């Protein structure tokens, strides 16, 4: 099937928001609490930043464990990388993830304000001002034959969906409402004209929506 563009483990509220309003340095998800929104993944045994033994197994853990499988590059929007808007004022800012980002691949950050690439551990961030098809072409070239993950946020995923570039999506719907923010959809049914979908409920309370091209 060639190199797929995959959305993995992207979590939205029951009303379709991937993040809330008012993003800041202290609140990457705006008024949304990421500990609540992402509780299904944080509780798993395979969550990469787990500091205590234990954690859940089963379906949620499978998706968490599979996050990096077969991925050679990631594409993300600027607001997933940084809360800053407009021209970069401080090149010392290198993202929310510290010295060991969780991506372990080249990452292509879509922005209208480019800046030099840099590397932290085994992750290199590239900043690109281009349309989705061009960014995907660059990411595929860097992925070494592996698939490309579309990491979000919701507005960037919508851009690639509108350009008909997404091959598969895994979206976890959390049982809470945000009411405002960055919305992926009003209803998952919006994608059914182009994708097959299977819905799998989890004991944690989230519902996993698995989409693949028709």
């Amino acid at each position: 099937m060639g190199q797929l563009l995959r959305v993995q483990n992207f979590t939205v509220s029951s009303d379709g928001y991937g993040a809330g309003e008012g993003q800041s340095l202290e609140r990457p998800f705006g008024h949304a609490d990421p500990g609540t929104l992402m509780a299904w993944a944080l509780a798993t045994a395979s969550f990469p930043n787990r500091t205590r033994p234990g954690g859940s197994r089963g379906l949620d853990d499978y998706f968490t464990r599979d996050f990096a499988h077969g991925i050679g590059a990631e594409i993300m929007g600027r607001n997933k990388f940084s809360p800053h808007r407009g021209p970069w004022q401080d090149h010392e800012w290198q993202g929310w993830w510290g010295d060991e980002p969780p991506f372990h691949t080249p990452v292509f950050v879509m922005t209208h304000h480019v800046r030099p690439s840099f590397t932290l551990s085994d992750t290199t961030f590239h900043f690109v001002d281009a349309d989705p098809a061009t960014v995907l072409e660059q990411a595929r070239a860097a992925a070494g034959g592996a698939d490309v993950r579309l990491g979000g946020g919701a507005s960037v995923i919508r851009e690639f969906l509108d350009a008909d570039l997404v091959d598969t999506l895994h979206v976890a719907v959390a049982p809470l409402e945000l009411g405002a923010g960055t919305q992926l959809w009003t209803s998952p049914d919006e994608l059914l004209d182009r994708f097959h979908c299977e819905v799998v409920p989890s004991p944690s309370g989230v519902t996993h929506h698995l989409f693949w091209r028709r």
Side-chain angles (χ1 to χ4, degrees):
M1 295 181 65
Q3 290 176 279
L4 301 178
L5 179 63
R6 297 156 51 186
V7 175
Q8 294 180 276
N9 297 5
F10 191 77
T11 305
V12 301
S13 61
S14 59
D15 49 352
Y17 292 94
E21 291 183 317
Q23 185 191 49
S24 67
L25 182 61
E26 295 76 20
R27 298 190 66 88
F29 283 76
H31 78 275
D33 178 1
T36 302
L37 187 67
M38 297 292 299
W40 71 272
L42 299 174
T44 62
S46 298
F47 186 72
N49 292 329
R50 170 167 290 281
T51 58
R52 294 181 295 177
S56 66
R57 296 289 183 177
L59 182 64
D60 294 344
D61 188 64
Y62 166 78
F63 284 119
T64 304
R65 189 172 64 250
D66 196 53
F67 180 71
H69 180 71
I71 297 295
E74 164 142 347
I75 298 169
M76 68 172 64
R78 175 169 172 171
N79 293 349
K80 180 175 176 179
F81 176 82
S82 166
H84 304 108
R85 307 294 193 265
W88 299 97
Q89 302 297 321
D90 181 7
H91 284 193
E92 294 300 313
W93 170 257
Q94 295 184 321
W96 272 296
W97 305 283
D99 294 332
E100 296 285 341
F103 308 106
H104 311 296
T105 66
V107 174
F108 292 81
V109 182
M110 296 179 68
T111 173
H112 294 304
H113 302 278
V114 297
R115 58 180 280 186
S117 301
F118 64 85
T119 299
L120 293 172
S121 185
D122 57 357
T123 298
T124 298
F125 292 93
H126 304 283
F127 299 84
V128 291
D129 181 10
D131 62 275
T134 300
V135 176
L136 178 56
E137 183 179 358
Q138 294 176 14
R140 281 178 168 156
D147 292 341
V148 176
R149 180 171 53 236
L150 182 58
S155 60
V156 169
I157 294 175
R158 288 300 323 186
E159 282 188 58
F160 280 81
L161 285 169
D162 292 345
D164 198 28
L165 296 172
V166 178
D167 295 299
T168 67
L169 301 88
H170 164 227
V171 180
V173 179
L176 76 157
E177 291 189 3
L178 290 178
T182 307
Q183 194 170 38
L184 179 65
W185 58 43
T186 302
S187 165
D189 293 349
E190 296 168 13
L191 304 184
L192 295 184
D193 61 331
R194 286 178 289 162
F195 293 91
H196 301 283
C197 179
E198 187 161 332
V199 180
V200 185
S202 167
S204 65
V206 302
T207 304
H208 297 285
H209 291 63
L210 306 173
F211 298 87
W212 64 101
R213 279 184 178 273
R214 288 188 177 276

